[in-house]
Each structure stands twice: as C-alpha cells, then as structure tokens.
Amino acid sequence: MNMSSERIWVVIPAAGIGSRMNSGTPKQYIKIEDKTILEYTINRFLEHSKVHKVVVALNPNDKNWQDLPYQENSRVITTKGGENRVDSVLSGLDQIRQFEGTEHDWVMVHDAARPCLNPRHIDDLVESKATSPDGAILAIGAVDTVKIANNHQSIEATIDRETVWLAQTPQFFPLETLRKAIRVALDSEATVTDEASAMEVAGYHPALVIGSRQNLKVTEPEDLMLASIWLNRGI
Ligand SMILES: Nc1ccn([C@@H]2O[C@H](COP(=O)(O)OP(=O)(O)OP(=O)(O)O)[C@@H](O)[C@H]2O)c(=O)n1
Ligand SMILES: C[C@](O)(CO)[C@H](O)COP(=O)(O)O
C-alpha cells in the first residue's frame, strides 16, 4: 500500500452504453476469455503498487456490476455515472474528495473500454509527475496522412501529421486542479471529451507521454478481435 502523502487515485468511467458496439451487452461487460473488459481494466490498476484506490463510475441502470468480484474489495469504490463521459469522471472526482482524497493527491482517469493498457505506461505516467506539474496523458502519433474534411466529406486540407497526437487514457492530473478545471470548462459550455481538454481550457499544458496502439479503446465490433489478441498474449 502506498503510504506517501501524495496518493494516486484512479477513476474509471464505465457508465456508457457502448452504442457503437451494436451489442446487447454494454461493451465494458463483454467477456474476453474468462473476464469482462471492465475486470481487465480494473485489475490493471489494482495490481499496481502505486495505486491507492479505484473509483468506478457506473450507469444508474447497470445490472452487471453486482456479478463482478469487487463487492468486498475496499480498494474499489463505485459512484453514479452521468449523462456524458465528463459527468461520470466528475462524479468520480467528487466521490474521492468526499471520501478521503486531499489536495495533495493525484488522479489517473482511464476508460473502462481500454482493457489492454500495459502497466509500464502507468509507470511512465507516474514518473512524468516529477517533470510535468500540469499533468500528462498517454498519446500516440499519427501513422497515416491526416486530412481535414469539409462538411461534404471531401478533402479540405492535409495537415502536418508530425503535429498530430491521438489522445489515449490514462490521463494523469492533480486531483483538485482537474476537478476545478472540469467544473469551469462545463460552466463555460466547453466541449470536454477528455480530461486534458478541460485542463487546456484552464490554461494548463499537460505533457504527452508515448502510449501504444495496444492501448486501443474498444469502440466498434472489430476492436474486440484486436483486444482479444492482446489480452490472450498476456500483458
Ligand atoms: N456517460 C458516459 C459515457 C461514457 N462513459 C465511459 O467512457 C468511456 C469512453 O467512452 P466511449 O468509448 O464513447 O463509451 P460509450 O459511450 O459506452 O460508447 P458509445 O459512444 O459507442 O455509446 C467508456 O468506458 C464509457 O463506459 C461513461 O462513463 N459515462
Ligand atoms: C478519452 C478518450 O479516450 C481520449 O481519446 C476519448 O476522447 C473518449 O472518447 P469517447 O467518444 O467518449 O469514447
């Protein structure tokens, strides 16, 4: 257990319905081999020595959580998810603050739908804390040429892909700074599709930490095969 004054919490937004997956089961509860996608994701963090506790934001209509093996685990806390991902994340941050979080703590936010995260990337983010006070996110560079489309779905322009980074999660920030930044961003009706968006609106410049295409977000049916391959190889 990490006894330092600066603890690392994890918030896992898991309240989505997975509409793009076209599955009868919310995608975070689809099983690969013997475990659900959500279990792979939660276990990634429970197995990491630097992680204090994990807060999972659940859909209010979630019927599957009760079947997962975390009911008696004191390091796993649940909270009520919200209408959008950002609302679920904020609910998790508020839960931490109400529970035992302090202003010294940091938080990693990681999509439930990214079960193939390699633990070494958690280490990389933790290490980034020493040099990135504004926080950091995992990201990967674009390997294809990047086009900007006009509203008729034809090419408007090509942009220099050296400047293009595809954001992943975890996204790692000081707990209180992130919580306040999200609240300000939402009050200003900014679009917040990841935590870094809110931090940017607040004027911060989070660092980019190299991630991996292995850390894919299971979004559409074809992603399941890729996730299965990675998970069956063992991470
Ligand atoms: N109101 C929401 C919406 C999404 N999420 C979570 O945010 C992560 C990333 O979102 P996404 O991949 O878009 O998941 P869904 O919203 O479930 O997918 P879709 O957009 O296809 O419905 C997922 O783990 C999802 O469970 C959440 O906690 N609360
Ligand atoms: C947070 C995220 O995974 C970073 O790429 C992404 O923004 C989530 O988008 P989604 O549409 O909520 O899956």
Side-chain angles (χ1 to χ4, degrees), residues 4-16:
S4 75
S5 62
E6 289 185 351
R7 292 169 303 191
I8 295 176
W9 296 79
V10 175
V11 171
I12 296 178

Side-chain angles (χ1 to χ4, degrees), residues 16-139:
I17 60 170
S19 58
R20 288 171 284 181
M21 186 56 78
N22 293 319
S23 161
T25 304
K27 63 185 180 182
Q28 59 271 38
Y29 289 109
I30 291 174
K31 275 201 166 184
I32 296 177
E33 295 297 319
D34 61 334
K35 284 196 284 292
T36 63
I37 283 176
L38 181 52
E39 287 172 90
Y40 285 106
T41 300
I42 291 172
N43 293 346
R44 210 58 87 220
F45 293 99
L46 291 180
E47 291 159 3
H48 197 284
S49 61
K50 293 275 197 265
V51 169
H52 178 55
K53 291 185 180 179
V54 177
V55 180
V56 187
L58 299 174
N59 191 297
N61 300 317
D62 186 302
K63 304 281 190 295
N64 298 284
W65 175 256
Q66 62 191 13
D67 300 327
L68 269 53
Y70 303 111
Q71 315 311 317
E72 306 302 320
N73 189 323
S74 62
R75 290 180 67 212
V76 179
I77 302 159
T78 62
T79 191
K80 187 178 171 186
E83 184 182 356
N84 297 301
R85 180 185 177 283
V86 64
D87 304 305
S88 298
V89 171
L90 187 57
S91 173
L93 299 175
D94 288 343
Q95 181 83 345
I96 294 169
R97 208 64 182 95
Q98 289 156 16
F99 195 63
E100 61 174 279
T102 74
E103 68 276 11
H104 305 296
D105 292 348
W106 281 58
V107 62
M108 278 188 192
V109 181
H110 185 66
D111 296 324
R114 291 183 189 267
C116 304
L117 174 67
N118 189 309
R120 68 178 167 83
H121 290 307
I122 299 175
D123 298 333
D124 293 345
L125 281 171
V126 171
E127 284 167 26
S128 75
K129 193 155 78 75
T131 54
S132 309
D134 286 6
I137 72 169
L138 286 190

Side-chain angles (χ1 to χ4, degrees), residues 20 85 111 114 167-169 171 193-195 217 219:
R20 288 171 284 181
R85 180 185 177 283
D111 296 324
R114 291 183 189 267
Q168 299 183 330
T169 67
Q171 304 202 0
T193 56
D194 72 340
E195 288 61 62
K217 181 163 65 73
T219 305

